Amino acid sequence: MAWTWFFRLGSPKWFYQIAGRWQPWIWGLTLIGLSVGTVWGLFIAPPDYYQGDLARIIYIHVPAAYLSMFTYVIMAVSAAIGLIWRMKMAFMFSISCSPIGAAFTLLALVTGSLWGKPTWGTYWVFDARLTSELILLFLYLGHMALYNASDDIKTADKSAAILAIVGVVNIPIIHYSVEWWNSLHQPASLSKLAKPSIDESMLWPLLIMIFSFKLFFISMVLPWLRNNILWRERDSQWVREMIEK
Amino acid sequence: MLRVLVGREIKLVFRRKSEILNPLFFFLIVTSLFPFGISPEPSVLGLLAPGVIWVCALLALLLSVDALYREDFDDGSLVQMVMSGVSPASIVFAKAITNWLVTGLPLILLSPLLGVMLNLDNDAFGAMVVSLLLGTPSMCLIAAIGMSLTIGLRRGGILLSLLVLPLYIPILIFGAMAVNAATVGQEFVGQLALLGAGLAFTASLAPWAAGAALRVSLSE
């Protein structure tokens, strides 16, 4: 009984409708979260002792970098669910993740290099953290390219899913790169277990930003997913009825 | 079973000998382009040699993998083998082993010659050969995943490099690091150990991923 919701998730029609109903609420929450986090981070939080106002880019850079990895893990997990339980919704979700993840990765790389120029004196260095984040971008691009290369949608789904799962090896490499190698990049500011190395006055806006970025991910992935559903179910009865209405 | 499969692959490869030699010529030519492109100055070349040799070996291996799959796929024998009940994982494992034996190993034997041409430091030859010995089998196994994913596609060639090259980067980093460390007289066992760990990891998991991918590609 408790599992019926999980199986209903597998129905494109049900998901399309429920996602459509939730969408405005999630967008609203995202907007509130992003504005609160941005105002708090950019205007209210104190400037950094060493870097002054420059350090405020952390409120964009860290959430984007966090989400670039988070999205990849979500993408790989749903790919695995798709392969194991043969749920087509899981494949569609996995496919919808990669353009958004690629955008987050690009954002993290761009904000990082803008931050790097005044503090390290260079836009780009081939150091462990930066290079592995760049590999992540290539993995996303490869995933999209492989999916788009195949004519048969079922083959495309499965091949892309296998590639997503294989690429997961890169995630721990990115995460621990700053600890394993002597890197220009500073060690992680946040950790689940240890006390954060960042002051509370800056921690709260950062946490709000990370949370709102997650909401932002959901509010971006839902339209992608709904478009995918419509496109794939274009021959089914309910889509036709809805379009004709 | 694996021995039979590898035997079959090797027999097939030796009937088309040019396919063994082509990647080696490629390796030789591309490596010798660097002195023209950058500088024939021996000190500059010695500095670049570890990276150049590693990158060229990597590209030569990547180019050689297509020949092992293409013909079997086109004449349908790959489908027949899977349908006859041979596990796809052992088919791709056999192809990866063959790929390493007929391309990887000759590349490694050729690499000291290129090291001499590029003025590689005398102390670094051992590190180069050992790091290539540990790194190239992982690359063959990863290439097998990419090849199995793209075999059914019409324009798979460029896509193959797009998928596989990002996954090669960690191996390249540690391989070139080991050789670089050896040229400046540092300890390089750590990098070699990581390459070995990578090989253990890919050898135990990559055949399964590649086998699953092959099954998907053939089901079309």
Side-chain angles (χ1 to χ4, degrees), chain B residues 11-211:
Chain B
K11 198 184 282 175
L12 280 176
V13 168
F14 274 90
R15 293 200 178 138
R16 292 166 284 153
K17 291 197 182 59
S18 71
E19 277 172 18
I20 312 173
L21 294 176
N22 285 346
L24 296 179
F25 284 136
F26 176 85
F27 184 47
L28 210 61
I29 291 171
V30 174
T31 315
S32 53
L33 286 180
F34 280 85
F36 298 119
I38 297 165
S39 151
E41 192 67 40
S43 60
V44 178
L45 286 180
L47 216 61
L48 292 173
V52 167
I53 292 174
W54 256 91
V55 170
C56 294
L58 180 157
L59 291 175
L61 268 182
L62 190 61
L63 285 179
S64 68
V65 71
D66 187 76
L68 283 171
Y69 285 78
R70 186 58 56 197
E71 205 142 299
D72 275 358
F73 180 77
D74 285 345
D75 67 10
S77 48
L78 210 48
V79 179
Q80 294 303 325
M81 283 200 294
V82 174
M83 274 175 57
S84 70
V86 184
S87 119
S90 42
I91 296 176
V92 290
F93 199 31
K95 284 189 188 291
I97 293 172
T98 315
N99 187 11
W100 186 74
L101 286 176
V102 300
T103 312
L105 208 52
L107 281 180
I108 296 169
L109 295 177
L110 203 60
S111 63
L113 175 68
L114 289 166
V116 173
M117 280 167 69
L118 292 178
N119 192 33
L120 185 70
D121 194 87
N122 278 338
D123 300 331
F125 279 87
M128 181 181 70
V129 171
V130 177
S131 68
L132 281 172
L133 268 176
L134 288 168
T136 44
S138 316
M139 296 205 277
C140 291
L141 287 158
I142 295 173
I145 301 180
M147 200 59 225
S148 312
L149 283 171
T150 54
I151 181 79
L153 306 174
R154 265 169 288 126
R155 288 174 303 278
I158 197 96
L159 190 61
L160 172 70
S161 25
L162 204 64
L163 300 184
V164 168
L165 287 178
L167 298 171
Y168 276 179
I169 294 175
I171 305 171
L172 174 67
I173 290 175
F174 290 119
M177 256 166 89
V179 189
N180 274 324
T183 49
V184 293
Q186 281 174 353
E187 197 66 40
F188 53 88
V189 180
Q191 287 89 330
L192 292 183
L194 277 166
L195 282 178
L199 176 56
F201 186 72
T202 46
S204 45
L205 293 178
W208 304 106

Side-chain angles (χ1 to χ4, degrees), chain A residues 11-189:
Chain A
S11 148
K13 182 187 176 191
W14 187 83
F15 191 93
Y16 182 85
Q17 288 164 345
I18 208 88
R21 230 176 296 149
W22 284 10
Q23 217 163 247
W25 296 97
I26 293 169
W27 285 348
L29 268 179
T30 310
L31 202 64
I32 295 170
L34 281 179
S35 9
V36 169
T38 314
V39 171
W40 193 343
L42 295 191
F43 299 105
I44 301 173
D48 186 75
Y49 182 71
Y50 291 110
Q51 297 183 10
D53 284 335
L54 188 61
R56 291 185 194 280
I57 204 169
I58 193 177
Y59 300 111
I60 308 290
H61 176 68
V62 169
Y66 179 84
L67 258 288
S68 67
M69 292 189 267
F70 181 81
T71 308
Y72 198 92
V73 174
I74 298 265
M75 180 173 107
V77 167
S78 61
I81 291 175
L83 282 179
I84 295 167
W85 286 290
R86 291 160 201 266
M87 277 171 78
K88 55 180 173 178
M89 278 306 297
F91 284 129
M92 282 190 231
F93 186 79
S94 174
I95 300 303
S96 310
C97 282
S98 64
I100 304 168
F104 279 131
T105 314
L106 196 63
L107 184 64
L109 285 169
V110 169
T111 53
S113 73
L114 289 178
W115 197 1
K117 183 62 187 171
T119 50
W120 300 340
T122 171
Y123 285 114
W124 181 261
V125 279
F126 272 96
D127 105 330
R129 174 58 70 89
L130 280 72
T131 312
S132 50
E133 187 75 10
L134 189 65
I135 301 176
L136 186 65
L137 181 64
F138 293 153
L139 285 175
Y140 277 124
L141 295 179
H143 185 257
M144 286 189 273
L146 180 64
Y147 175 70
N148 289 324
S150 186
D151 299 328
D152 180 59
I153 212 143
K154 277 183 183 158
T155 318
D157 272 347
K158 286 183 191 160
S159 318
I162 293 171
L163 184 69
I165 295 167
V166 170
V168 162
V169 288
N170 191 38
I171 296 295
I173 297 181
I174 301 177
H175 187 79
Y176 291 107
S177 57
V178 276
E179 289 165 31
W180 290 345
W181 288 283
N182 289 324
S183 162
L184 258 186
H185 195 285
Q186 61 183 351
S189 318

